[in-house]
Amino acid sequence: MTHSDDEVTRDDEATAHAWAALGGPAELLERVSYEGAGGVLPSRLPVRELARATVGVCSLAAAELLAARGGGKVPAVRVREGAVATAFVSERHLRIDGRVPTVFAPLSGFWRAADGWVRTHANYPHHRARLLDALGIPDTGDGGAMAERLSSELAARPARSVQEDVYAAGGLAVAVAPPARNSALPLVETRLTGDGAARRLPTASLPAAGVRVLDLTRVLAGPVAGRTLALLGADVLRVDTPRLPEDADTHADTGMGKRSTLLDLGSSGDRGVFEDLLGTADVVLTGYRPGALDRFGLAPDALLARHPGLVVAQLNAWGWSGPWASRRGFDSLVQAGSGIASLEASEDGSPGVLPAQALDHGTGYLLAAAVLRALTDRQSVGGGRHLRLSLMSTASWLMHGIRSAPSAGGAYSPQPWLARTASPCGLLDHAVSPVDYEGAPRNWSRSPSRWGTDRPVWI
């Protein structure tokens, strides 16, 4: 591909803000340039700017770590907006043996309530069951009839009543809220723990080569971070409980480059296996509700006390303080609860959505960037790191902290940013990673394995 000079720019406020939030050296921003593409991620909110900034800082963090390991100059970073836009809707580009996966289940979506709107999430069978149980609706298995019954039931109830009743039953429904005030949530929280010796990584051809990552995350931001670290050379082992099956299509999209194993942490045998893995891990990613893993000794302070040089990176939906901090959530629900759905509403007043699950994807790249920066800092400073990010913080940044920037470049096409890979899941047509620096890999070195089929060992 060729690119004219006027398509390439360098200054970007959103990238500078995110890089500062990560603690990155300001002088490295001059290594980043941007290649525009017309018509990508159209939205009232600056989604294009958020997307390219999060990929930009992730690419720069990768380049910085590569240089720190080898002692050379930080490679140049090129953010290609076409690649970014394609990756931010990777689940829509995925084909498995030619089949188009279903992104949202029939009972997931916006519904009129008696006094407003409600957004439900019922993609997983257990969430569907809890939603229906909370509303007193029997599960007949007839999708069309179930949707009609759900619509009728919700239309008779106040939105916040639905929200609280479904939450109390362990399900997922959020009242569509007006735009939230700027609560000044930190985009990235980083805490240095301990004063251990510097832990230098040897020179390598990939930034995260030899780094061992335990990925305890589910849809979608955490797995995006994990597959990004895998692209960059890390040995990423996703660990799930056998009691909570994953959607096979979602796993095919976000499992690129990773391995997947099942361990029941409530079992002494499996717990021992997990502790052995922890003993030589560099990074632990968690994406469960705050406190959900504490009973297994996996609270951040407990982990860092046992493993002082560890990087513990936490992700949640609603932020780390306030009454909603411990609630379950997904990108679509945070869009509804933060006011994004109201800001993106159509002319008839019905709630709208972003052109991508941008909170998930954007936070995923920020999470990967935070891990890479922590590994860079650990090279010279030592100690452990506790990192915290949330979809709500990213939503707040999108609504209040990013200004729209002029768009330039030729017409956008996803074709240059798609690849075909054979895998145990089937023949995959998929988006490639947008993370790019001089010499970066274009595709993952391994395809996703089937969920839960790998041995719980490092390779």
Side-chain angles (χ1 to χ4, degrees):
M1 298 177 65
T2 59
H3 309 282
S4 61
D5 291 341
D6 63 358
E7 290 176 321
V8 177
T9 59
R10 291 193 176 276
D11 296 329
D12 183 76
E13 289 182 2
T15 303
H17 177 89
W19 188 241
L22 291 162
E27 63 272 15
L28 292 185
L29 287 168
E30 67 180 15
R31 305 296 297 157
V32 185
S33 61
Y34 313 85
E35 177 187 296
V40 300
L41 301 174
S43 175
R44 291 192 181 113
L45 289 166
V47 174
R48 177 183 70 91
E49 292 81 354
L50 176 143
R52 74 178 202 166
T54 57
V55 171
V57 295
C58 188
S59 301
L60 185 56
E64 180 192 28
L65 178 57
L66 184 64
R69 296 183 67 161
K73 186 177 181 180
V74 173
V77 167
R78 175 67 63 87
V79 180
R80 294 177 166 88
E81 290 186 5
V84 172
T86 303
F88 261 60
V89 291
S90 62
E91 63 275 10
R92 298 181 203 168
H93 290 295
L94 180 67
R95 302 291 182 269
I96 305 175
D97 291 329
R99 178 178 59 83
V100 180
T102 300
V103 177
F104 283 103
L107 300 188
S108 296
F110 291 111
W111 309 87
R112 280 194 179 275
D115 59 352
W117 291 85
V118 171
R119 176 90 195 207
T120 59
H121 195 289
N123 284 13
Y124 286 94
H126 61 290
H127 289 150
R128 170 191 166 105
R130 292 167 186 172
L131 172 68
L132 295 174
D133 183 62
L135 299 173
I137 301 174
D139 190 346
T140 64
D142 183 336
M146 297 293 295
E148 288 184 13
R149 178 69 187 276
L150 179 63
S151 176
S152 176
E153 188 68 34
L154 293 177
R157 299 183 182 222
R160 291 195 179 277
S161 174
V162 171
Q163 171 184 283
E164 296 307 314
D165 289 348
V166 173
Y167 171 71
L172 293 163
V174 172
V176 174
R181 294 181 179 180
N182 183 5
S183 54
L185 298 174
L187 188 59
V188 180
E189 298 179 54
T190 303
R191 177 168 64 98
L192 172 64
T193 64
D195 55 358
R199 296 179 63 173
R200 295 201 61 82
L201 295 167
T203 300
S205 59
L206 291 172
V211 173
R212 292 174 167 177
V213 179
L214 285 171
D215 181 356
L216 282 66
T217 69
R218 294 173 68 85
V219 188
L220 182 64
V224 166
R227 78 180 180 192
T228 301
L229 295 171
L231 174 86
L232 299 170
D235 181 8
V236 181
L237 180 63
R238 174 167 165 170
V239 180
D240 286 277
T241 171
R243 294 193 294 265
L244 200 59
E246 178 59 288
D247 176 75
D249 294 346
T250 300
H251 177 69
D253 177 41
T254 60
M256 299 295 299
K258 297 186 280 188
R259 294 176 299 120
S260 169
T261 196
L262 302 180
L263 292 173
D264 181 357
L265 297 184
S267 158
S268 59
D270 281 5
R271 178 64 185 277
V273 172
F274 184 79
E275 288 296 330
D276 287 343
L277 292 168
L278 263 178
T280 55
D282 296 282
V283 178
V284 175
L285 306 177
T286 70
Y288 293 86
R289 291 175 297 124
L293 298 175
D294 291 6
R295 68 186 185 277
F296 302 118
L298 301 182
D301 287 344
L303 279 171
L304 289 161
R306 299 201 305 276
H307 308 284
L310 199 61
V311 175
V312 179
Q314 286 185 290
L315 168 76
N316 79 355
W318 299 103
W320 297 95
S321 62
W324 281 48
S326 63
R327 293 201 175 194
R328 302 171 184 86
F330 291 94
D331 180 302
S332 59
L333 301 179
V334 176
Q335 287 190 43
S338 66
I340 288 175
S342 294
L343 289 171
E344 294 290 337
S346 61
E347 291 184 2
D348 66 4
S350 57
V353 297
L354 299 177
Q357 294 186 72
L359 306 182
D360 264 333
H361 286 272
T363 308
Y365 290 112
L366 286 173
L367 180 61
V371 168
L372 294 165
R373 287 242 60 256
L375 293 171
T376 296
D377 286 344
R378 201 179 67 171
Q379 292 269 108
S380 56
V381 178
R385 299 293 186 282
H386 179 200
L387 313 172
R388 298 200 306 190
L389 297 88
S390 74
L391 302 186
M392 192 63 170
S393 292
T394 303
S396 178
W397 182 45
L398 174 64
M399 291 189 291
H400 305 292
I402 304 177
R403 294 193 298 181
S404 296
S407 177
Y412 162 62
S413 168
Q415 290 306 316
W417 319 113
L418 300 176
R420 176 167 289 179
T421 299
S423 82
C425 305
L427 183 62
L428 305 181
D429 293 293
H430 61 93
V432 299
S433 175
V435 173
D436 194 8
Y437 57 86
E438 188 176 358
R442 175 173 167 80
N443 206 348
W444 288 269
S445 62
R446 62 180 297 138
S447 67
S449 54
R450 289 189 178 274
W451 182 77
T453 59
D454 292 296
R455 296 177 57 225
V457 296
W458 296 117
I459 56 175

